[in-house]
Amino acid sequence: MDAPLLQVEGLTTHLFTDAGTVRAVEGVSLTIGRGEAVALVGESGCGKSMTALSLMRLVRPPGRILGGRVEFEGRNLLDLREEEMRRLRGGDIAMIFQDPMTFLNPLMRVGDQIAEAVRLHQGLDSRAAWRAALAALELVRIPAPDSVIEYYPHQLSGGMRQRVLIAMAISSRPSLLIADEPTTALDVTVQAQIMELLGDIRRELGSAMLLITHDLGLVAEYCDRIYVMYAGQIVEEADVGPLFASPQHPYTRALLKSTLGPDARVDAFESISGQPPDLARPPAGCRFHPRCPEALARCAHDEPPVIRPAAGRQARCWLLAQDAA
Amino acid sequence: MSALLEVRDLQVHFPIGARLLRPPAGVVRAVDGVSLSIAEGEVLAVVGESGCGKTTLARAVLGLTKPTGGVIRFRGGDVALQSTAERNAYYRQVQMVFQDPFDSLNPRKTVLQTLAQPLRIHSIVPAGEFRAEATRLLELVGLSPAALYLDRYPHQFSGGQRQRICIARALAVRPSLIVADEPVSALDISIRAQILTLLRRLQQELGLSYLFITHDLGVVRSLCDRVVVMYLGRVVEEGRTEDIFAGPRHPYTNALLAACPLPDPVRARARKRATLTGDVPSPVNPPSGCRFHPRCPVAREICGRDEPAAREFGPGHRSACHFAAEADTWERPAWQLAVTAE
């Protein structure tokens, strides 16, 4: 097998706040192959966005990356100089965020913003950059791109703004696209359009995607593999099919039961009790044990091992260790 | 069956661009002729995308926005014609729960103070019993022992706990109708399930009615008896939940159902995607004829010209589409066929 595009090993990022040390990302390991669509799924505060920011080295104080490796195309990003990192961001690795308005300059025309990104990363002159911006807008299927290119962000709807952001992200033909809740702020019918568009573009450019989301419905349809994150740690990894068919970790099972699709049963929403822990004071042992319906005595004090029942599958749970023994 | 709440031809229009001595430049027809009714003990979902008017509808029902036309009747009485005393009684009967539990609690008030206010205003219990009543309310919404919560402030609680406090506050005045505007969409999945379970239990135990505003069809399916689908200020379809999900009669409903993410990789990938093109148009200048026609996959010439009237397709199942009778020939998502076959 080829070397993976991205290989993250033991990534650890803590936030040093007045209220104590928040262990936001605790030894996260994940891999993404070329062209692969991988999901990082979890609830708010589980560390999924902080993981993405750490990969891109965009963690700001009081946060700090404490350790681990982020190997991208053979280089450890954590060792690069800031200048090299800047060239990589928006170049070979591009990001799309939840709220497009935060990342668009309200005072600049759409075309100028995309062209600026293109000039920075590809060293094109302004004429060629403008043409590249137009091509990017066409690629994200914006109707009448030659007029939209002259628009300011406020003249666009939410879905159109997200398309502009995607156009900007893909203008440099990245090999990895990190999408952090890219459709959460959008209506369902527009969400479907954007997800389909991302899929088409990835196929066209051969880009891999790390989709960060809380929505297992999106993952089921648009991703190849999933990492489930809870309280700063990866608790389960699997291909999409096996994960939905036979989830191994009790947290994954609970999440799946709580995810309501349009075909949900009338007696659905069996819920997990309690709430995710404060990461400044995570529980001892397994971090999920206070909420786990299947917890054993040892779960309260011993950290569970990572069990690998099959290739490409892992789960961090004592129940599986018992089965294996 | 007599309706608890009846809304007839409700209109809420907002003038825009008006300045001193200058007439308004246009009118936003946020709610444009909406009729619906909710029976005692019924859960009615109002579904639609942003800008469809569902929140404006809720605000009009709550008396927070003045309708520009139409009638709202509560237990048969026209709310607009009521005396002050009658209207105060109405405002007690109809309570609200909002989307964001962080914005809807006063950060300077303890939970006890928050719950005591409606008890005092509506004279529900004497002042000496506020603490006991607040304790009862907190335990009703699953915050027990209540003593741990009463004297603390909102910032000390998580989103799910705050939403429970908001629900307790709504229940304090013993209402018969709760208007809930996206009450779980700001919450995490595991917490969302807890709050939905709570809302369902309260509805059954207290015989409440809900006007449940949401964009989430999964929630609708598992909580609501009936559904009203709105698009650009109009009701395009309504019916019992099982009828809407098994056989939608409006292409917009069909598209909403098809766009809803399906947490099942096998069926999600097997289905055909009838993705809608474009965004929801502006309600300032709604399209002529059927408002959905520019995005509609089955639109024909008549749709741009004539506004379709609602027609009935089975008990209580109405659709405002010229071609609703052909609904069986529309592209349906695979899961839907499976549901129908059950």
Side-chain angles (χ1 to χ4, degrees):
Chain A
M1 201 181 93
D2 292 348
L5 178 68
L6 180 80
Q7 180 146 24
V8 178
E9 229 28 272
L11 184 65
T12 300
T13 301
H14 290 176
L15 305 171
F16 298 91
T17 68
D18 295 339
T21 304
V22 177
R23 300 154 178 278
V25 181
E26 191 102 295
V28 163
S29 300
L30 52 88
T31 58
I32 302 176
R34 285 183 187 280
E36 197 183 21
V38 173
L40 185 57
V41 175
E43 299 180 90
S44 43
C46 75
K48 58 190 193 299
S49 290
M50 195 48 76
T51 301
L53 291 175
S54 305
L55 300 182
M56 300 283 277
R57 274 183 40 196
L58 288 172
V59 177
R60 296 212 181 96
R64 206 165 72 228
I65 301 172
L66 296 184
R69 293 178 64 77
V70 178
E71 205 130 331
F72 178 73
E73 299 197 313
R75 290 191 291 177
N76 182 2
L77 300 189
L78 301 186
D79 292 340
L80 292 190
R81 280 177 298 134
E82 181 52 34
E83 192 190 311
E84 294 172 291
M85 202 55 218
R86 211 175 302 141
R87 217 172 306 132
L88 208 61
R89 288 185 211 120
D92 249 2
I93 308 179
M95 267 188 111
I96 307 168
F97 300 92
Q98 175 173 343
D99 180 8
M101 211 45 197
T102 321
F103 297 90
L104 289 172
N105 183 337
L107 301 178
M108 266 172 93
R109 289 182 302 174
V110 160
D112 291 322
Q113 302 193 42
I114 305 174
E116 186 184 37
V118 175
R119 274 207 315 276
L120 269 167
H121 289 289
Q122 295 169 32
L124 297 178
D125 66 47
S126 55
R127 263 257 225 30
W130 188 262
R131 275 200 304 275
L134 189 63
L137 288 176
E138 277 164 7
L139 193 60
V140 298
R141 292 192 226 114
I142 284 190
D146 32 4
S147 23
V148 171
I149 198 168
E150 309 265 0
Y151 283 8
Y152 289 88
H154 75 89
Q155 293 170 286
L156 300 169
S157 67
M160 282 300 156
R161 285 177 197 153
Q162 197 56 290
R163 279 170 200 263
V164 167
L165 214 69
I166 294 172
M168 207 179 291
I170 60 160
S171 60
S172 57
R173 310 181 80 84
S175 48
L176 175 63
L177 199 56
I178 299 180
D180 190 354
E181 303 273 10
T183 59
T184 306
L186 304 175
D187 278 318
V188 268
T189 59
V190 181
Q191 163 171 292
Q193 294 170 21
I194 296 289
M195 291 311 298
E196 295 284 312
L197 173 71
L198 279 174
D200 291 349
I201 287 174
R202 285 202 311 105
R203 273 187 290 280
E204 222 164 300
L205 303 181
S207 315
M209 171 170 76
L210 179 63
L211 176 70
I212 294 167
T213 183
H214 65 278
D215 189 342
L216 282 164
L218 283 184
V219 174
E221 191 147 4
Y222 298 105
C223 294
D224 306 318
R225 212 150 45 79
I226 308 185
Y227 290 94
V228 180
M229 204 165 169
Y230 185 80
Q233 297 174 324
I234 303 282
V235 295
E236 180 157 6
E237 175 204 350
D239 286 345
V240 165
L243 186 109
F244 281 82
S246 63
Q248 298 292 308
H249 197 283
Y251 177 63
T252 314
R253 278 199 282 276
L255 265 190
L256 281 170
K257 277 187 189 145
S258 305
T259 302
L260 302 172
D263 60 341
R265 312 288 324 185
V266 181
D267 54 359
F269 47 78
E270 182 176 329
S271 49
I272 322 176
S273 60
Q275 62 208 34
D278 176 0
L279 291 184
R281 280 171 295 275
C286 170
R287 293 181 173 192
F288 186 58
H289 88 263
R291 306 177 74 194
C292 183
E294 300 163 62
L296 309 167
R298 70 185 312 177
C299 300
H301 38 85
D302 298 339
E303 266 221 45
V306 175
I307 309 289
R308 299 178 185 279
R313 268 210 103 153
Q314 55 160 309
R316 190 186 286 268
C317 182
W318 279 118
L319 291 168
L320 301 165
Q322 299 252 313
D323 289 353
Chain B
M1 187 170 53
S2 73
L4 176 68
L5 180 84
E6 195 184 2
V7 172
R8 194 125 314 264
D9 199 24
L10 187 75
Q11 295 184 349
V12 185
H13 293 177
F14 299 106
I16 50 165
R19 304 230 180 101
L20 185 67
L21 303 179
R22 194 198 291 171
V27 171
V28 178
R29 301 164 185 277
V31 174
D32 205 16
V34 167
S35 299
L36 54 83
S37 69
I38 304 176
E40 298 266 3
E42 187 179 44
V43 180
L44 178 72
V46 175
V47 172
E49 295 179 282
S50 44
C52 75
K54 56 191 195 294
T55 293
T56 307
L57 169 73
R59 292 180 57 87
V61 167
L62 291 163
L64 299 172
T65 297
K66 211 173 152 52
T68 44
V71 179
I72 298 173
R73 286 200 188 87
F74 188 76
R75 295 211 163 105
D78 184 338
V79 174
L81 304 177
Q82 286 172 333
S83 67
T84 310
E86 284 171 326
R87 197 165 310 160
N88 283 345
Y90 169 67
Y91 290 148
R92 184 174 75 75
Q93 289 292 319
V94 182
Q95 290 295 311
M96 65 208 99
V97 175
F98 294 108
Q99 173 171 353
D100 190 343
F102 292 87
D103 281 350
S104 42
L105 288 171
N106 186 336
R108 291 162 184 268
K109 281 187 177 171
T110 63
V111 173
L112 177 61
Q113 287 167 332
T114 295
L115 295 176
Q117 189 175 30
L119 295 176
R120 183 171 57 244
I121 291 173
H122 290 281
S123 317
I124 305 294
V125 293
E129 291 171 28
F130 284 172
R131 200 174 176 91
E133 179 66 6
T135 301
R136 187 187 72 84
L137 289 165
L138 288 178
E139 282 171 4
L140 190 61
V141 299
L143 295 177
S144 69
L148 286 180
Y149 299 88
L150 280 172
D151 300 310
R152 298 168 104 184
Y153 290 89
H155 75 264
Q156 296 172 286
F157 300 113
S158 69
Q161 289 168 326
R162 280 183 230 205
Q163 197 59 300
R164 286 177 196 265
I165 295 166
C166 292
I167 293 169
R169 177 177 60 184
L171 295 176
V173 296
R174 302 177 190 172
S176 39
L177 174 66
I178 302 265
V179 177
D181 190 356
E182 303 272 12
V184 295
S185 48
L187 305 173
D188 267 320
I189 310 160
S190 67
I191 309 298
R192 185 180 299 186
Q194 293 171 8
I195 298 293
L196 288 170
T197 308
L198 172 69
L199 286 171
R200 182 157 64 196
R201 177 170 66 72
L202 291 172
Q203 192 264 332
Q204 286 162 355
E205 280 176 15
L206 306 175
L208 296 167
S209 300
Y210 291 154
L211 176 62
F212 203 96
I213 313 267
T214 183
H215 68 279
D216 186 337
L217 290 164
V219 172
V220 171
R221 183 105 203 262
S222 37
L223 187 73
C224 303
D225 302 313
R226 248 169 4 99
V227 187
V228 164
V229 182
M230 283 183 74
Y231 188 78
L232 278 184
R234 298 267 171 132
V235 173
V236 294
E237 183 165 6
E238 71 168 298
R240 286 183 306 178
T241 304
E242 62 266 31
D243 295 338
I244 296 282
F245 277 74
R249 288 278 178 180
H250 195 284
Y252 178 61
T253 314
N254 199 45
L256 271 185
L257 288 167
C260 192
L262 184 61
D264 175 342
V266 180
R267 285 183 299 153
R269 284 155 206 243
R271 68 176 166 171
K272 283 219 175 114
R273 270 291 196 181
T275 316
L276 282 188
T277 53
D279 292 312
V280 181
S282 153
V284 182
N285 271 315
S288 62
C290 170
R291 294 180 179 199
F292 185 57
H293 88 267
R295 300 176 75 197
C296 181
V298 298
R300 287 177 229 168
E301 203 202 328
I302 185 178
C303 304
R305 202 176 54 227
D306 297 343
E307 172 125 35
R311 286 175 295 156
E312 188 138 339
F313 295 86
H317 190 176
R318 274 182 289 279
S319 160
C321 171
H322 290 298
F323 301 104
E326 299 171 15
D328 296 333
T329 65
W330 298 339
E331 198 81 65
R332 292 272 165 78
W335 62 265
Q336 223 175 341
L337 302 174
V339 168
T340 321
E342 263 171 32

